[in-house]
Amino acid sequence: MTATDRRSFLKTATAAGAGLIVAPQISKASVSKQKKKDGEVNIAFIGCGGRGRGHLYRAAKTEGVKITAICDIDPEAIPKAQKILTDNGHPKAEVYSNGEHAYLEMLKREDIDGVMIATPWLWHTRMAVAAMKAGKYAAVEVSAANTMEECWDLVNTSEETGKPCMILENVNYRRDVLAVTNMIKDGLFGEVVHGRCGYQHNLLNVKFNKDLKFGEGAKGEARWRTQHSLKQNADVYPTHGLGPIAHMLNINRGNRFLYLTSTATKAVGLKDYIQEQGGVDHPYAKLPWKLGDIITSVIKTANGESIIVTHDTNLPRPYSLGFRIDGTDGTTNFDMGTKRIYIEGKGKYDKWDDFQKWQDKYDHPLWKKYGDIANGAGHGGIDYFVTREFINSVKEQRQPVIDVYDAAAWSAVTPLSEASIATGSSPQYFPDFTRGDWIKRKPVEYK
Amino acid sequence: MTATDRRSFLKTATAAGAGLIVAPQISKASVSKQKKKDGEVNIAFIGCGGRGRGHLYRAAKTEGVKITAICDIDPEAIPKAQKILTDNGHPKAEVYSNGEHAYLEMLKREDIDGVMIATPWLWHTRMAVAAMKAGKYAAVEVSAANTMEECWDLVNTSEETGKPCMILENVNYRRDVLAVTNMIKDGLFGEVVHGRCGYQHNLLNVKFNKDLKFGEGAKGEARWRTQHSLKQNADVYPTHGLGPIAHMLNINRGNRFLYLTSTATKAVGLKDYIQEQGGVDHPYAKLPWKLGDIITSVIKTANGESIIVTHDTNLPRPYSLGFRIDGTDGTTNFDMGTKRIYIEGKGKYDKWDDFQKWQDKYDHPLWKKYGDIANGAGHGGIDYFVTREFINSVKEQRQPVIDVYDAAAWSAVTPLSEASIATGSSPQYFPDFTRGDWIKRKPVEYK
């Protein structure tokens, strides 16, 4: 943002008479003049690894999207990204790869409207903040922030610049998730009182290469992700589970997270894996892992619900986000392995009912309309919707459905869980990232 | 206990050189002289309602059991209990029914060896304490105690009198529970780090009679149990879930509960039910229920495991105790609706395996031997084993497998969860009811 821009922005904000906290209005005012020729938007990419290229691929296939700049420091990633572009009828993009801060160079370009960020966790917030400061819409992979200060960086920058920041939480778009969201809205479960979710994913072969290598010189996420298990005892990856439940419970929109407690088990899973794979004399066999194998956080909300969030990535187990919703008229578990539902008076007493039947009945309009396209697009279709929503928000110069307050509140579980675990599960209070606005903000409508 | 008895007991305890904390040894020393003619024991009953008559029935069918005294203040219960006795070849028992303290009269009898107590919760501890003080083995239904003081009353009385107190937790004997206990002992799950359990039982038609009546004048448990929902915000019924997990994790036997946090949801389920059944103008429609609909407690153990305990009795849902165990080599859910298991390298990667196959492999010797008899005996066989164990402990003048330290530690979740909820989920520390002995006590062997 140039000095002139900032002055003009501040003038708009003051004219609105509401100061910095009315981000959506400011956003509309300050970004409208950047609009490109009818409907066309320019999306740039920071991080062209597997995840980034997925977004790139979907963006390249979207009508009205121009891609002129990509950024990655991994020389292997760039040609793969360029091939996606040329395979899909786009010219090659300009490449920014000169060191860790090459993205700052790219962000100086005036032709870019939005930036999708898919990099190691520690870069998410600083890149999103830089993108917003450069006047771009930011989209950032999960989690959006690592520390409480970073959560505030996202919120404050978005409010100051008037640029939205979307957290790319694809699970919010799962067909069963959106159907249950509809069921809740329709009152099927009565008054909802409780939710459960979590990231329960055996990452043993993600955290370690086949030769057990991790850290510098390792391939893939083992290069950077594993270090968090060595140094941090926290729910370092809360949003795949919590994002959907947060929207179901209208968090930041008439409700908010009040506090949590977190309890970590001992950390023995990674040690066990290394010793099984590499023997008890392996140089890594006695590393002092910090990340408890299972971390249980219990969140209390302003509206009186509780939410259990699980983080479980060090143990052998089938993948599961373990969703559950309980209300005064019924309950459901919807998980990869188990989907079941019980609605009072709508089936046999004390017996689970077939979930699919109810999912079909409450299928979300988005899935009815785009389900066929989505299904081929990655992670069972959900990636299609999350990329689409970001691009649409840029095209329509509006806040994305998943916004910066979501990014901050969901990501805040990481530092809060760390503090709770470090203090014998003492309760930790969530900041109100909306600065009071949650009381009047309206529930999400997925578009 | 007479003054002479007490002196003789104290002398024995001093002679043993170990003071009051070596309860099992004291117990053997002080009770052996009471043994009846070869193998025969006399079991009395306080509380002859549905649950008490179940125990009475199973005791009446057990060889070597004499039943000469029963106690209940409900005139309808007595003839039903007597009929069980006469139907099973026993003479009628002497009846103690003269007021709430009639049981004290009964406990004066010298012919009674053991007492089974199945009364409303508030009577459990005082009756068990009185039984032990009268020199009898005590068995008490779940939960054993309502307050922390009562937990200590049980422990201190048992240690002082040398009389055991068994908590009649039948779920510890479930066939799947004992099989998983065997699997853990065999190392199938590697190092166990986490367990889950809970009492998730739609008690709407237990807490209210058909006409919505509860409290004085109501039938069944609605007479006394519902009041706890009106006045207490706590996990008032933790042991069905926690008992099995506690034994699996060797709690009080090389491990112990360190602390818990508890979080309650709002209390809207009972209000919703009353308004649905009785209309919004029903006199009970606006009662100020205290018991949160779902109460989540997370326990941390000395050995570094965590345990999630759920209490969920105000909402419509299928019955479930929601068991789960996680270790470094595998995980299992074993529940009424879902039983599944995953053992690293012993099946398809990332896919749940059939639980029954593993249950059969690890079937407990008790079930192999007595399964056919047990199956007809109540709650799918588990009641057979719990009644049997108490009677055998009296016959063999030994501590029961489920002992007074179990009764105290498991029941302590009620007062601790209440304190945690009342203080915004602050952590609450478990007393060490074993006074340090947990370090050297040996794991349970079910006999």
Side-chain angles (χ1 to χ4, degrees), chain A residues 47 100 127 163 191 267 296 298 316 330 352 362 380 405 413 420 434:
Chain A
E100 284 188 331
M127 287 169 168
K163 297 298 163 193
E191 187 169 350
T296 304
V298 184
W352 290 104
Y362 283 93
Y405 304 107
V413 168
S420 181
T434 72

Side-chain angles (χ1 to χ4, degrees), chain A residues 78-89:
Chain A
I78 295 299
K80 292 179 189 169
Q82 297 284 32
K83 184 168 187 305
I84 289 172
L85 288 173
T86 51
D87 283 356
N88 288 283

Side-chain angles (χ1 to χ4, degrees), chain A residues 35 91 269 325 363 367 431:
Chain A
K35 255 183 147 176
I325 286 288
D363 198 23
W367 273 95

Side-chain angles (χ1 to χ4, degrees), chain B residues 238-355:
Chain B
T239 72
H240 283 323
L242 192 54
I245 299 287
H247 273 193
M248 289 174 190
L249 299 184
N250 296 321
I251 297 301
N252 296 331
R253 299 163 178 88
N255 195 7
R256 76 179 198 89
F257 298 144
L258 275 187
Y259 61 85
L260 62 69
T261 57
S262 296
T263 305
T265 69
K266 55 189 159 189
V268 291
L270 301 186
K271 184 191 71 178
D272 181 82
Y273 180 74
I274 290 168
Q275 294 190 357
E276 277 172 9
Q277 300 291 314
V280 292
D281 294 326
H282 190 277
Y284 294 170
K286 288 174 181 164
L287 282 176
W289 301 99
K290 285 283 187 305
L291 181 71
D293 293 330
I294 296 186
I295 291 170
T296 305
S297 301
V298 184
I299 299 175
K300 185 75 182 273
T301 70
N303 286 355
E305 302 99 350
S306 65
I307 307 165
I308 302 180
V309 189
T310 302
H311 184 270
D312 172 358
T313 62
N314 294 345
L315 303 171
R317 61 159 297 127
Y319 174 83
S320 160
L321 300 186
F323 285 114
R324 167 172 163 177
I325 285 289
D326 295 86
T328 54
D329 292 341
T331 178
T332 179
N333 299 89
F334 47 113
D335 193 355
M336 293 308 182
T338 308
K339 289 182 195 258
R340 54 192 191 179
I341 190 169
Y342 181 79
I343 303 298
E344 195 177 24
K346 299 276 174 65
K348 281 190 188 156
Y349 183 78
D350 205 40
K351 297 286 173 220
W352 289 105
D353 198 5
D354 176 47
F355 183 88

Side-chain angles (χ1 to χ4, degrees), chain B residues 2 24 37 66 91 118 166 185 208 235 261 265 277 279 331 377 443:
Chain B
T2 64
K37 69 175 187 271
K66 216 170 155 176
M166 176 176 176
K185 200 169 277 186
F208 302 100
D235 184 336
T261 57
T265 69
Q277 300 291 314
T331 178

Side-chain angles (χ1 to χ4, degrees), chain A residues 191 193 196 200 264-266 272 276 300 303-304 306 310 312 316 318-319 324 328-329 338 340 344 350 424, chain B residues 191 193 196 200 264-266 272 276 300 303-304 306 310 312 316 318-319 324 328-329 338 340 344 350 427:
Chain A
E191 187 169 350
V193 301
R196 293 189 184 187
Q200 304 177 121
T265 69
K266 55 188 158 188
D272 180 82
E276 277 172 10
K300 184 75 183 271
N303 286 355
S306 65
T310 301
D312 171 359
Y319 175 82
R324 168 172 163 176
T328 53
D329 292 341
T338 308
R340 55 191 190 178
E344 195 178 23
D350 205 39
Chain B
E191 186 169 352
V193 300
R196 293 189 183 187
Q200 304 177 121
T265 69
K266 55 189 159 189
D272 181 82
E276 277 172 9
K300 185 75 182 273
N303 286 355
S306 65
T310 302
D312 172 358
Y319 174 83
R324 167 172 163 177
T328 54
D329 292 341
T338 308
R340 54 192 191 179
E344 195 177 24
D350 205 40

Side-chain angles (χ1 to χ4, degrees), chain B residues 58 68 140 163 190 193 202 218 253 293 308 330 346 356 420:
Chain B
R58 289 182 291 276
T68 57
V140 63
K163 298 298 163 193
V193 300
N202 173 356
R253 299 163 178 88
D293 293 330
I308 302 180
K346 299 276 174 65
Q356 189 63 45
S420 182

